[in-house]
Structure formats: C-alpha cells, structure tokens
Amino acid sequence: MHPQTTYPAYQVERPVEPMRRARGGTAVGFLLWLVAVPYFVLCLARLLGLDGSHWILVAVVSLTPYALPLGAVLTAILLFTRRWIVGLVSLLLTVLLVTVVAPRTAAAARPNGSGPLLRVLSVNISMDHGDAATVVRLVRDRAVDLLSIQELTPGAERALDAAGLAEVLPHRVFKPRPGAVGGGLASRFPLRETVVTRPTTAEHPAAVIDLPAGPDVEFVSVHPWYPVGPRGTEPWLRDMAGLPSPDGLRVPRILAGDFNASLDHSVFRGLLNQGYLDAAEQAGAGLTPTWPADKRFVPAFVALDHVLVDNKNFVVESFGTAAVPGTDHRAVIAEVKLVRG
C-alpha cells in the first residue's frame, strides 16, 4: 500500500468587489453641482444672515420659500446617485430651511386682547399709477381706521381727495413728493404729527393717534429704499436701521408699509427680534406674496409689504391682501387689537 499523499489546502481567493461608485458618471455629477452650489449659497446666506452684503444675495434670499422644493428634489437625487457627502449636506440645509419657513403657515398662539380693535391698511400707490378710487373703496368696505401710503405724489394726493378719502379718514399727515419718495398716513381718529425715525431716503411720516377708548398709539408709514437698484444695499440698510425699536409698555406702536424686505432678510428679522410682531406671520399667512402685482404672466411671489406691531401691546387678529389696479404691490390689511384698553 502506498502511503496516502496529502496536499496542502489552497484557499480559493474571491474576486474583490469593486467599490460602489456614484451613479450617472461625471456628466450627471457636474449637472448636480451646477444646482447644488447656488442652493448652498442661498441656504448659507439665509441661515447665517449674509444677505445684506450684496444686492444679489438680497434678491436670492427673498426666494427662500421656493428653494425648499428644489432642495428636497436635489437631496433625493444626490442620495439616489450615491453622492453621500454632498447629499447629506443638502439634507441638513434643507431641514434647517424647513424649520424657519414652515412656522409661517400656522397661526401663532396669542393672548386675548381687551382693548380696541384697529384695522390697518397699507398700500404702495406707485406714484400716480395706483387707482385712488379702489384705495378709498377698501377703506370704506373694510372699515379701515389707519391708512399708510407709500410713493405718494401730489397727483396721487389729489386723486385720493377726489375719491373721497377725507370723508372716511379725515385726519392725515401727508408728505407728497415727486417720484417714489413721498409718503403719508391717514386716520379715522385725531392725530398729532411726530418724528420717530432717523433721516431716511424716502418719507416716513409718523403720528400719535388719539383713540377715543384706549391709550394713544404711534403709527408710522414705512418705505426703506429698495436694495437691488444702482445704489446697492447701503441706503436700504441705513433706512431699516433708522426705524424705531418698540418702546415696550410706554407707547404702543404700529409700523406699516413697503419694507422692501421679506421675513427671510436678516435686517428685517433683526427688527422683529427687537420686539415687533409681523401680522402676516402671526396670522399664519407669512407666505402670502405682495410683489410684483402688475405683471401679466408673473404672479406675485415675494412678501415685501408688512404690518408690524410691538409685542407688548398688541395681538394680531387677522391679515389679508387686496389688489389695487395700477400698483406693483398688493395692499395689505391687518386687524390688530390692543392688549389693554
């Protein structure tokens, strides 16, 4: 018998599996980066408050609510194509944007106000182009108590008077000017003109309203210079910085007008952080756009017009918008109630 020959055992080597590469190749990756880079810039400018540094960032940040669907689709595609790092970054930024935009769609909890109810209307009348009869009809139909007007010209003042504004709001502080720098306010109640803002590019008329029941209220018509013009952001930032901060319990204050800013602009959020409430946001209508309102094929898509009230003296009851033919802004109307009579 021959001894049994044993042979060394050889381990069969398995082929090494190739690493799971990103799907779509270089071309798809390049296209995704073309979308991801501006999206990331928008997110960082919005979340870090960098929008005031250049007019392009001001314009881009105003589109924040519309960036959310883009971000969701972009994130899904990045993760599906196995671009994990950039996909996770996109996911994080999108979640952060949701946390700042979503609350605008729900009405905020508010205490019961026991003081008088005030109906505030603000309209950028676009110099001589806005329909004065519509403005006066809104005042009548909505029983408006306080009216703020931006871009008030001498011609617009005459048109408002011809339409009967003085019959429903007999008290006023009008500062009409040629061009887009005039402003005015009108009241159902007696008023006393005051000055509460630092020098601004356009007129910011202000008055103390003598309510028949309740404390006096300061009312300011607001119109900072627009930030995307040839002057850049400096006049806009200066005008916004010149607006008064709330005086707490001393004097209830309302700011109403065309702020040329949305809830996503850091300079506007800074104003809210001082102690103001945005009526649209409080009513769950913070995504309601007001500009542009005069384009045939482009609907309004940015909320630039606001009614602000100080958070110590007011609660917001309702907010809405209305069309005024000839203007490039929708009028905004808010019902606000004093906390105490």
Side-chain angles (χ1 to χ4, degrees), residues 11-140:
Q11 185 176 2
V12 178
E13 295 184 1
R14 297 180 179 179
V16 179
E17 293 185 7
M19 295 181 62
R20 301 182 71 185
R21 296 181 179 178
R23 295 186 175 117
T26 305
V28 171
F30 176 73
L31 292 176
L32 288 174
W33 272 108
L34 283 181
V35 178
V37 169
Y39 176 65
F40 290 176
V41 169
L42 182 152
C43 291
L44 293 175
R46 167 59 180 86
L47 296 171
L48 299 179
L50 306 177
D51 51 288
S53 58
H54 197 280
W55 69 265
I56 292 179
L57 292 178
V58 174
V60 167
V61 165
S62 67
L63 301 176
T64 296
Y66 304 98
L68 276 177
L70 170 66
V73 173
L74 174 64
T75 300
I77 294 175
L78 287 169
L79 295 178
F80 176 76
T81 58
R82 300 173 182 166
R83 289 165 172 85
W84 304 115
I85 296 178
V86 67
L88 291 175
V89 171
S90 181
L91 176 62
L92 174 62
L93 292 175
T94 302
V95 170
L96 291 175
L97 281 193
V98 169
T99 63
V100 300
V101 173
R104 303 173 197 174
T105 63
R110 59 185 185 272
N112 293 323
S114 59
L117 180 73
L118 295 173
R119 294 179 178 88
V120 182
L121 174 68
S122 175
V123 57
N124 183 324
I125 204 166
S126 294
M127 298 172 283
D128 296 330
H129 305 299
D131 185 61
T134 298
V135 175
V136 175
R137 185 163 57 250
L138 282 172
V139 171
R140 293 183 188 274

Side-chain angles (χ1 to χ4, degrees), residues 29-328:
F30 176 73
L31 292 176
L32 288 174
W33 272 108
L34 283 181
V35 178
V37 169
Y39 176 65
F40 290 176
V41 169
L42 182 152
C43 291
L44 293 175
R46 167 59 180 86
L47 296 171
L48 299 179
L50 306 177
D51 51 288
S53 58
H54 197 280
W55 69 265
I56 292 179
L57 292 178
V58 174
V60 167
V61 165
S62 67
L63 301 176
T64 296
Y66 304 98
L68 276 177
L70 170 66
V73 173
L74 174 64
T75 300
I77 294 175
L78 287 169
L79 295 178
F80 176 76
T81 58
R82 300 173 182 166
R83 289 165 172 85
W84 304 115
I85 296 178
V86 67
L88 291 175
V89 171
S90 181
L91 176 62
L92 174 62
L93 292 175
T94 302
V95 170
L96 291 175
L97 281 193
V98 169
T99 63
V100 300
V101 173
R104 303 173 197 174
T105 63
R110 59 185 185 272
N112 293 323
S114 59
L117 180 73
L118 295 173
R119 294 179 178 88
V120 182
L121 174 68
S122 175
V123 57
N124 183 324
I125 204 166
S126 294
M127 298 172 283
D128 296 330
H129 305 299
D131 185 61
T134 298
V135 175
V136 175
R137 185 163 57 250
L138 282 172
V139 171
R140 293 183 188 274
D141 294 346
R142 305 292 184 90
V144 168
D145 301 300
L146 304 175
L147 170 66
S148 169
I149 306 174
Q150 304 87 55
E151 298 190 12
L152 179 69
T153 61
E157 180 182 19
R158 290 191 294 269
L160 288 167
D161 283 337
L165 179 64
E167 299 171 9
V168 284
L169 299 179
H171 310 283
R172 65 175 61 175
V173 176
F174 273 11
K175 297 182 180 296
R177 300 285 186 272
V181 296
L185 55 85
S187 168
R188 187 178 303 276
F189 312 109
L191 55 76
R192 308 184 306 276
E193 183 176 3
T194 186
V195 177
V196 296
T197 63
R198 296 198 291 269
T200 52
T201 309
E203 295 287 350
H204 283 61
V208 176
I209 311 298
D210 298 323
L211 299 181
D216 293 345
V217 172
E218 284 186 352
F219 184 47
V220 187
S221 179
V222 177
H223 191 206
W225 199 248
Y226 61 100
V228 295
R231 299 188 188 184
T233 62
E234 193 278 330
W236 176 63
L237 294 172
R238 184 185 65 244
D239 289 351
M240 290 291 287
L243 295 175
S245 59
D247 287 334
L249 297 175
R250 188 179 70 83
V251 180
R253 180 178 288 139
I254 303 172
L255 308 181
D258 169 14
F259 286 74
N260 277 311
S262 74
L263 285 165
D264 290 300
H265 291 116
S266 57
V267 66
F268 187 81
R269 297 198 310 277
L271 195 62
L272 298 181
N273 290 338
Q274 293 178 24
Y276 284 110
L277 302 174
D278 180 82
E281 184 178 33
Q282 292 295 301
L287 297 180
T288 305
T290 65
W291 180 92
D294 61 342
K295 307 301 181 186
R296 184 174 181 181
F297 300 108
V298 180
F301 59 87
V302 183
L304 300 182
D305 303 82
H306 305 271
V307 175
L308 304 187
V309 295
D310 73 81
N311 61 12
K312 299 294 185 182
N313 294 289
F314 289 98
V315 293
V316 176
E317 298 292 328
S318 68
F319 175 86
T321 67
V324 177
T327 71
D328 58 346

